[in-house]
Amino acid sequence: MSHFKEEKTFLMIKPDGVQKGLIGEIIKRIEQRDLKIVAIEMFQATPEQVSGHYPKDEVWISRLGDKTLSTYTKYNIDPIKELGTGNNLEIGKMVRAWLIDYMTSAPLVRMVVQGLHAVDMVRKIAGPTLPYLADMGTIRGDFSNDSPILGNIEKRAVMNLVHASETAEEAKHEIEFWFGQKGNIFDYKRFGVDR
Ligand code: UDP
Ligand code: MG
């Protein structure tokens, strides 16, 4: 049943991860969990690439807005006063534009990670989206502290060190998008994992 070990996901170290000198730490946490890096590269993204990476459908964009809105509700902040709107789609559109500035502000490191439950495992290692909610022991919880409350005031995206695919479908799309259909994905044996 080796195909279960071949599940792949897409992981990207964001500009703050690179600029905080966390490339090695992030790779270490992936490898120590018996996951295998099968492709890796540092590069500078263009705004067009970042826009192509993040979904453009209204459901996804509204969900971005919902993450801001749930934080505002929790801390009793009025979105209309802060952002001029309480509409999740409108807020999501603002966040999506800020994401493009963020993701093009310094080099990124893109990788493909392979292994048992790779998609869920890498999300677990990364931690949830908003660093203020991320538990210690996760990458986002151990090395970042940010919130839409501050990000929105500063007109920027929430900085949370890494991007990781959320589902197998997202992983497939993102791997093809960033590495091409026959991209440089390597096949090798990890001692203790593959044999
Ligand atoms: N983001 C933000 N404000 C929000 C929600 C998200 O700036 O209220 C940014 C954050 O950098 C996040 C990215 O948008 O990583 C993509 O959001 P998604 O919901 O897909 O989170 P992820 O999959 O990265 O955990
Ligand atoms: Mg996501």
Side-chain angles (χ1 to χ4, degrees):
M1 281 300 162
S2 66
H3 60 286
F4 289 116
K5 292 183 181 175
E6 284 161 25
E7 183 174 314
K8 291 178 185 63
T9 192
F10 179 72
L11 174 65
M12 191 144 64
I13 305 179
K14 292 179 169 183
D16 51 326
V18 171
Q19 291 180 301
K20 281 180 164 175
L22 290 171
I23 298 170
E25 178 67 38
I26 290 165
I27 291 172
K28 188 192 96 185
R29 287 174 179 227
I30 299 301
E31 290 194 315
Q32 79 183 9
R33 198 69 202 265
D34 283 347
L35 293 163
K36 184 159 74 173
I37 291 164
V38 292
I40 184 163
E41 186 187 357
M42 179 182 275
F43 70 106
Q44 172 66 50
T46 65
E48 293 72 26
Q49 280 178 313
V50 175
S51 186
H53 163 78
Y54 286 112
K56 291 189 174 76
D57 64 279
E58 295 199 344
V59 174
W60 188 86
I61 297 174
S62 300
R63 208 197 53 164
L64 274 187
D66 285 334
K67 290 190 181 181
T68 282
L69 286 173
S70 63
T71 303
Y72 278 12
T73 304
K74 183 171 178 201
Y75 291 96
N76 212 6
I77 293 171
D78 180 3
I80 299 175
K81 219 166 115 195
E82 284 300 323
L83 298 170
T85 175
N87 179 277
N88 60 359
L89 180 60
E90 292 309 311
I91 297 170
K93 284 180 185 167
M94 288 181 210
V95 172
R96 199 180 188 284
W98 294 333
L99 266 173
I100 294 174
D101 297 336
Y102 169 36
M103 297 293 279
T104 54
S105 64
L108 306 169
V109 178
R110 59 187 164 198
M111 38 187 135
V112 179
V113 177
Q114 180 177 308
L116 189 62
H117 296 300
V119 174
D120 287 345
M121 207 54 72
V122 172
R123 282 298 290 192
K124 188 153 79 162
I125 295 167
T129 306
L130 303 178
Y132 85 91
L133 294 174
D135 283 329
M136 265 65 79
T138 65
I139 292 167
R140 288 165 166 173
D142 282 350
F143 300 109
S144 61
N145 177 18
D146 200 15
S147 159
I149 292 178
L150 186 62
N152 295 340
I153 288 172
E154 296 180 351
K155 306 257 170 279
R156 59 164 178 80
V158 169
M159 293 189 280
N160 52 8
L161 303 170
V162 288
H163 165 84
S165 311
E166 293 177 60
T167 62
E169 299 74 59
E170 204 172 85
K172 187 175 183 303
H173 165 79
E174 291 175 352
I175 291 168
E176 279 182 19
F177 182 81
W178 288 111
F179 284 92
Q181 292 206 333
K182 292 185 196 130
N184 278 331
I185 315 274
F186 293 88
D187 187 14
Y188 66 96
K189 293 212 184 306
R190 260 290 295 268
F191 294 144
V193 178
D194 294 321
R195 60 180 182 187

